[in-house]
Amino acid sequence: MDNFQTVLRFFMNQKATIGYSFMALLTIGGERVFSMVSFQCPCNRAQNFAYGLVFLLGPAMVLLVLGLFFSSRLWRLYTGCCLNPMKLCPRGNCFGCLRAFMSIFTGACVAPIMWLCVALLNGTFYECAVSGLDHNLVVDHFCKNKTLKCRQELAQVPCERSQLSNNERMELLLMFRSQSQILGWSVIIIASLVGLIGTCYTNCRSKVSYLQLTFWKRYVEKEKERFDTFAVDYATKLSERNLQSFFENKDPDPFPFPSHKAWEEISAHYTFSRSDQCYSTLQRYVERTDRDYTPEKRPVLDFEHGIEMH
């Protein structure tokens, strides 16, 4: 049993690494499926560039949008900010809000960068896109010291119907793929350096020590897990109380519930302060001595303001 708990603890500590590894495998698999099943370069000078670029950047943009869409941190910051712009910058801390948005955007960029790296290392999309460029500098670069037919047939190189000799066609393909792989490794190196520098800068500017920062991260994870569990349990009890009141045709029993103001306070963006040893907005709220315990007199969802649930 102890060995099982040790293994389980190891996987829990490495869940971020495991998650990124699983994401990388999915990205590689998705790229292979796109390359083998749906991607067919038109081998037309007027269409190659747009077609190859769409397959190269299109999935990356979709992954970026999905990463932002499924980011709970983004919606925690954004929800209600049109009605209350100060929600984005509590206490006037605009720099902290900007840093939070940068952190969210950086996290959402992991999957798109993985896609770009895998797609560029494979080279299929890049060679189709570049072969369709009609710019003199591009054509002169690839067809230097070659016949006029190279200029005419450059867009046909990704396809087997090119009229160039096999040796000349393979030479051009190798040039395309080598450039694509160089770009792929460049993206990997730049992303790694930016991640390392960003982590170093964040830790250097941290207001807490390494061990306290580790504890803070563990606390936030556990609070989120317990909040989800507690919310489900509490919502179940509230629904049972309301249904019982409805079907038995009687007044509902008293049921304590946080006020709207309390929900707003614990949903705000959290910034750490040395003056109060709190690790989340929830802890900061519950440890306040001036909390308002007066229950809400009106429904939580007020139809007067256009909020409706179906």
Side-chain angles (χ1 to χ4, degrees):
M1 189 65 182
D2 292 339
N3 292 334
F4 175 76
Q5 290 180 350
T6 302
V7 174
L8 182 62
R9 193 180 303 112
F10 171 78
F11 279 109
M12 288 299 294
N13 292 336
Q14 301 297 324
K15 61 182 180 181
T17 304
I18 295 173
Y20 286 137
S21 301
F22 183 68
M23 189 186 300
L25 290 175
L26 286 179
T27 304
I28 293 172
E31 194 276 337
R32 294 309 300 166
V33 169
F34 268 88
S35 298
M36 298 175 63
V37 177
S38 61
F39 183 79
Q40 292 182 345
C41 187
C43 293
N44 184 298
R45 191 177 294 276
Q47 299 178 5
N48 278 18
F49 179 73
Y51 188 82
L53 205 63
V54 165
F55 272 83
L56 185 63
L57 300 181
M61 290 299 300
V62 172
L63 289 172
L64 177 62
V65 171
L66 289 176
L68 294 173
F69 186 79
F70 290 109
S71 174
S72 59
R73 293 176 61 197
L74 174 64
W75 298 120
R76 184 169 181 168
L77 275 173
Y78 181 76
T79 302
C81 69
C82 291
L83 299 178
N84 183 16
M86 286 302 297
K87 219 180 143 183
L88 290 175
C89 302
R91 304 179 182 181
N93 187 10
C94 296
F95 179 74
C97 176
L98 180 62
R99 187 169 57 184
F101 271 115
M102 286 298 298
S103 176
I104 294 169
F105 183 77
T106 302
C109 283
V110 173
I113 289 175
M114 284 185 178
W115 168 269
L116 282 176
C117 294
V118 172
L120 287 171
L121 289 176
N122 185 32
T124 305
F125 305 143
Y126 179 85
E127 67 187 31
C128 180
V130 173
S131 64
L133 289 174
D134 199 18
H135 198 277
N136 289 331
L137 290 176
V138 176
V139 177
D140 291 342
H141 174 71
F142 288 111
C143 294
K144 186 178 180 179
N145 299 326
K146 289 183 174 61
T147 61
L148 181 62
K149 186 180 288 186
C150 172
R151 295 175 174 272
Q152 298 172 347
E153 296 289 323
L154 188 62
Q156 304 288 334
V157 170
C159 304
E160 296 183 357
R161 60 175 180 266
S162 172
Q163 297 180 7
L164 296 173
S165 63
N166 288 334
N167 290 337
E168 199 169 7
R169 178 176 173 272
M170 285 304 301
E171 183 181 349
L172 290 171
L173 279 177
L174 289 175
M175 290 178 65
F176 290 150
R177 290 176 185 174
S178 63
Q179 285 189 357
S180 180
Q181 290 171 354
I182 290 172
L183 285 175
W185 277 110
S186 299
V187 172
I188 293 174
I189 293 171
I190 292 172
S192 302
L193 289 176
V194 169
L196 177 61
I197 294 172
T199 304
C200 291
Y201 176 79
T202 302
N203 288 349
C204 180
R205 298 278 298 176
S206 176
K207 297 180 180 179
V208 298
S209 65
Y210 174 75
L211 290 179
Q212 190 177 8
L213 185 62
T214 302
F215 174 80
W216 186 3
K217 292 178 180 177
R218 295 288 185 271
Y219 171 80
V220 171
E221 292 175 2
K222 292 301 179 182
E223 183 188 87
K224 185 178 183 303
E225 292 175 6
R226 295 301 300 158
F227 181 87
D228 292 340
T229 303
F230 202 90
V232 170
D233 182 57
Y234 212 75
T236 302
K237 291 178 181 179
L238 179 60
S239 63
E240 289 176 350
R241 171 255 201 185
N242 293 340
L243 288 169
Q244 185 178 13
S245 173
F246 174 76
F247 282 104
E248 295 181 3
N249 195 23
K250 66 177 185 179
D251 291 334
D253 298 328
F255 196 89
F257 202 78
S259 64
H260 177 73
K261 182 180 178 181
W263 283 109
E264 286 291 322
E265 289 190 25
I266 70 167
S267 300
H269 172 63
Y270 177 74
T271 53
F272 185 84
S273 174
R274 289 193 183 94
S275 60
D276 53 351
Q277 288 291 318
C278 296
Y279 295 96
S280 69
T281 50
L282 178 61
Q283 183 184 0
R284 179 180 287 167
Y285 175 78
V286 300
E287 292 190 3
R288 277 174 47 192
T289 57
D290 58 339
R291 282 188 294 160
D292 181 14
Y293 292 98
T294 305
E296 291 278 358
K297 298 299 184 183
R298 63 179 184 179
V300 177
L301 299 182
D302 191 349
F303 293 94
E304 180 183 352
H305 297 288
I307 303 175
E308 184 176 359
M309 296 290 290
H310 296 281

